[in-house]
Amino acid sequence: MNFSSMGLSAQILQAVTAQGYDEPSAIQAQAIPAVLEGHDVMAAAQTGTGKTAGFTLPILERLSAGKRAGSKQARTLVLTPTRELAAQVHASVETYGKYLPLTSAVVFGGVKIKPQMARLNRGVDVLVATPGRLLDLYNQQAVRFDHLEILVLDEADRMLDMGFLPDIRRILAALPRQRQNLLFSATFSKEIRTFAKTLVNNPVEISVTPRNATANTVEQHIHPVDKARKAELLLHLVKTRQLSQVLVFSRTKHGANKLAKKLENAGIRSSAIHGNKSQGARTKALAQFKAGKVQVLVATDIAARGLDIQQLPYVVNFDLPNVPEDYVHRIGRTGRAGMTGEAFSLVSADEIQQLVDIERLTQKAFTREIVDGFDPVHTVPLSAPSGGKKKPTGGSGHKRGGKPAFGKTGGGHHTSKKKHGGHKPFHKGGKAQSEGESTAGKPKQTSADGQRQSQSQAPKAGAVSPTQRRNRRRRKAAQAAGKQGNSGNHSGQSPYGSAR
C-alpha cells in the first residue's frame, strides 16, 4: 500500500512526497481510511510511528471539501497536553496542508494572548491548543465552536496524568454534540478507556503494538550507581563516548537546572527546559539542541511527548519517572521512524520500586550493567515481573564491562554478591507538575500507580517528621501561654510571636 491509493488529494500527496514518504506506517495505514470514512477512532501506537500524520492527513482531506471557517470559529480542534507537542502538531498541519487553501493556528500559555486572539478573530480551519489557554480564550469570547466538525485528543493519557480532565470536560461542554472524535495516544490505560466511553461513539479501535510496549529499535540499559555519583557517571559517559546529542530526563525542575549548570561547569554545552522556563527560553533551547549548538538537553517530563528530533541517538534517565508509562514515552524520543537508538537509566537503590513498576509495565526484567569505577555501595537488586517467570533481558542479572554501555559492553558476566547493606528503598515526593496550565490546580493521584506510590511514601511507624516536631513545640508554647493567661496575661499577643 502507498499513499496514492488511500484517497488523498493531489495537493496532499505532493506535500507528503516532498517530505520523502511513499508508504504509510502501520498506524497510518489503518487510521487514515477510518478517519476519511467519518468514524470515531481510538488509536494506540508507540511514539515515532507517525501518529500525528495518521490524523493530520485525513483531517486535511475532509476539511478541503467543506466551507471555510467563519470569524472566531474553528472547524477542527486538536488538544495536546504540552506546548511543545502543540507546536509540533501545528507544524505537521502546516507541512501537509501547504498546498491547500486552509488556515490553522496554535495557541498555548507562556506567551501573549492578544496576538492569538487577533489570529482567531479571522477564523481557522484547524486549531491546535493546550487546554488551559484554550479555556482562557473561550472565556474571553475569542473563539467559538458552533461549526466544529472534528475533535482530536492527542496524548490523551498524558492529559489525564497532568490533571487536565476537568478542563477537558469544560471544553467538551462547549462543543456541538454532533462531531467526529479521534483519540490518538501512545498508550491506553484503564482510566483513558473509561473516559473514552463518554466521548466516542462506536469507535474503530486501532492498536499496532502491544499495550505499553517499548520500541524494538531502542536498546535499553540499566546502570546501577549511587545517587551522589549520578552526575559524575553522566559526565563520564558523555566525555568518554564523545556523545554529540543527548536528551537527559530529570524528575524535577530544580534538578534539571542544577544538572545543566554542573554539565556547563564541566565544559559540556548544556541547557534545561521545564515548566518554569518561559516559552521563548524553551523554544530557544530546543532549537539550539536540534542545531547541535547544545550537546546535552536536560528536560522534565514536559518534553516526553512534545520533542520531535530527527535521528536523536541517545536518551538518558537521570532519574526514573514516578509514573512507569512515562518511561515508555521518554525512551520513545529515540529510535523513531525506523532509526535505532539507545536509552540509558542511571538507577540508585532508592529507585528500586520505580524500576520494578517499569519492568512490570513493559514485561521486561533488565540486566543491571555496572560501569567500571562506579560500583554502587547500595546495590539495585534484581526483580522478576509476573511472579518471577521472566528472565532478565540480555543474559544474567548483573553485567560488568570495561566500557560504558553506550554500545557493546565488553568483559564477562557475573552475579553481584554484594548485600544490600540494610539500605531500604524510599521515595521522594510525588510527581512534579510538568506544564502547570491546568485551571483545576494540581493533578490528583487517582491511578493505581499513584495509590501505590502514596503508600510507599508513608513514613515509618514511630518516626517523627520535622513538621510534627514543630507542631509539638507550638502546642507546648500554646499550653504555656494559656497558663500565663489564667494568671492575668490578657495582652492578646500570640504565643508564636507577631503575625506574618
Side-chain angles (χ1 to χ4, degrees):
M1 178 185 292
N2 51 45
F3 283 108
S4 60
S5 64
M6 302 188 73
L8 299 173
S9 66
Q11 294 92 329
I12 293 178
L13 291 175
Q14 182 181 357
V16 170
T17 302
Q19 295 301 308
Y21 300 124
D22 297 318
E23 297 181 355
S25 65
I27 185 68
Q28 293 165 359
Q30 297 183 56
I32 291 176
V35 177
L36 286 176
E37 292 171 3
H39 297 294
D40 282 9
V41 171
M42 289 179 59
Q46 295 168 344
T47 55
T49 56
K51 294 194 310 295
T52 303
F55 64 79
T56 299
L57 296 177
I59 285 176
L60 291 172
E61 181 66 33
R62 297 200 67 191
L63 293 178
S64 63
K67 185 179 179 181
R68 300 287 82 81
S71 176
K72 297 185 179 181
Q73 296 287 345
R75 299 173 63 199
T76 293
L77 173 62
V78 183
L79 290 177
T80 72
T82 66
R83 308 168 193 174
E84 281 75 16
L85 183 56
Q88 176 187 325
V89 172
H90 183 245
S92 180
V93 172
E94 289 188 319
T95 296
Y96 297 121
K98 63 186 300 184
Y99 301 114
L100 295 172
L102 299 175
T103 58
S104 63
V106 59
V107 296
F108 45 69
V111 296
K112 294 181 179 179
I113 196 171
K114 287 187 176 180
Q116 297 176 351
M117 297 175 71
R119 179 68 188 87
L120 293 174
N121 189 56
R122 300 191 295 271
V124 292
D125 295 298
V126 180
L127 175 60
V128 186
T130 52
R133 176 50 62 93
L134 182 66
L135 280 176
D136 289 342
L137 290 163
Y138 180 76
N139 291 334
Q140 296 184 51
Q141 300 182 351
V143 62
R144 299 196 302 269
F145 304 105
D146 304 316
H147 306 298
L148 187 82
E149 302 171 31
I150 305 170
L151 169 68
V152 182
L153 295 185
D154 194 17
E155 306 291 12
D157 54 345
R158 183 64 173 166
M159 280 193 274
L160 265 62
D161 288 342
M162 293 174 66
F164 283 124
L165 183 57
D167 286 356
I168 293 173
R169 293 196 185 281
R170 294 187 188 100
I171 293 169
L172 293 178
L175 306 182
R177 293 189 176 183
Q178 196 69 25
R179 63 177 188 269
Q180 185 178 12
N181 302 292
L182 312 177
L183 273 74
F184 280 73
S185 182
T187 59
F188 275 114
S189 63
K190 292 181 180 179
E191 291 79 9
I192 283 294
R193 293 183 178 277
T194 300
F195 168 68
K197 291 179 181 178
T198 67
L199 180 68
V200 295
N201 300 306
N202 299 318
V204 173
E205 188 165 340
I206 302 169
S207 181
V208 298
T209 54
R211 185 182 174 191
N212 297 323
T214 52
N216 294 329
T217 55
V218 180
E219 187 176 349
Q220 302 169 64
H221 304 278
I222 301 296
H223 292 316
V225 62
D226 289 328
K227 182 178 288 290
R229 300 194 69 191
K230 279 192 176 186
E232 183 184 352
L233 176 56
L234 177 60
L235 276 169
H236 174 76
L237 295 173
V238 171
K239 288 185 174 181
T240 57
R241 299 297 296 178
Q242 298 180 346
L243 305 177
S244 59
Q245 196 176 41
V246 188
L247 177 60
V248 179
F249 281 102
S250 169
R251 191 183 299 132
T252 67
K253 303 169 187 176
H254 173 71
N257 287 336
K258 184 178 179 181
L259 181 58
K261 184 176 181 180
K262 185 171 292 188
L263 292 170
E264 277 284 342
N265 292 339
I268 305 295
R269 295 167 297 166
S270 307
S271 187
I273 62 171
H274 50 68
N276 284 353
K277 295 277 188 177
S278 68
Q279 185 58 39
R282 286 156 63 170
T283 302
K284 180 180 178 181
L286 182 56
Q288 290 179 333
F289 183 61
K290 288 182 176 181
K293 296 179 180 179
V294 167
Q295 187 175 355
V296 177
L297 184 64
V298 187
T300 55
D301 284 306
I302 183 176
R305 305 292 185 96
L307 292 183
D308 186 17
I309 303 167
Q310 295 295 324
Q311 301 180 11
L312 177 67
Y314 305 115
V315 167
V316 176
N317 288 305
F318 188 81
D319 303 305
L320 288 184
N322 286 327
V323 179
E325 286 83 0
D326 284 345
Y327 175 84
V328 177
H329 305 309
R330 286 181 177 189
I331 71 171
R333 297 306 98 197
T334 186
R336 298 168 69 89
M339 304 295 293
T340 59
E342 293 181 89
F344 306 88
S345 298
L346 313 185
V347 183
S348 53
D350 63 314
E351 295 177 302
I352 180 59
Q353 188 57 55
Q354 288 99 319
L355 180 58
V356 169
D357 290 342
I358 291 168
E359 290 179 319
R360 286 173 180 165
L361 181 77
T362 60
Q363 289 298 295
K364 292 181 180 180
F366 298 110
T367 299
R368 279 58 163 159
E369 304 173 19
I370 299 175
V371 177
D372 283 351
F374 290 89
D375 299 62
V377 175
H378 303 292
T379 60
V380 178
L382 298 178
S383 55
S386 303
K389 296 180 181 180
K390 295 279 185 178
K391 292 184 178 180
T393 58
S396 61
H398 290 78
K399 183 165 65 175
R400 181 186 302 277
K403 294 182 180 180
F406 279 84
K408 298 294 182 180
T409 304
H413 298 352
H414 78 285
T415 301
S416 174
K417 296 183 180 180
K418 294 182 181 179
K419 293 185 178 180
H420 201 269
H423 180 87
K424 295 184 178 180
F426 66 92
H427 288 293
K428 289 196 173 182
K431 178 178 59 178
Q433 185 175 355
S434 300
E435 189 65 17
E437 286 192 17
S438 172
T439 61
K442 294 183 179 180
K444 296 181 180 179
Q445 290 281 10
T446 57
S447 66
D449 292 322
Q451 293 171 355
R452 183 165 59 250
Q453 176 189 336
S454 298
Q455 292 169 1
S456 68
Q457 294 172 2
K460 298 178 181 178
V464 180
S465 68
T467 301
Q468 290 174 321
R469 288 196 294 269
R470 185 167 58 252
N471 290 339
R472 287 180 181 179
R473 289 196 298 269
R474 288 182 173 179
R475 283 196 295 270
K476 289 181 180 179
Q479 291 171 358
K483 292 179 180 179
Q484 293 177 3
N486 292 333
S487 301
N489 180 8
H490 302 289
S491 64
Q493 183 177 359
S494 169
Y496 312 133
S498 59
R500 293 183 179 180

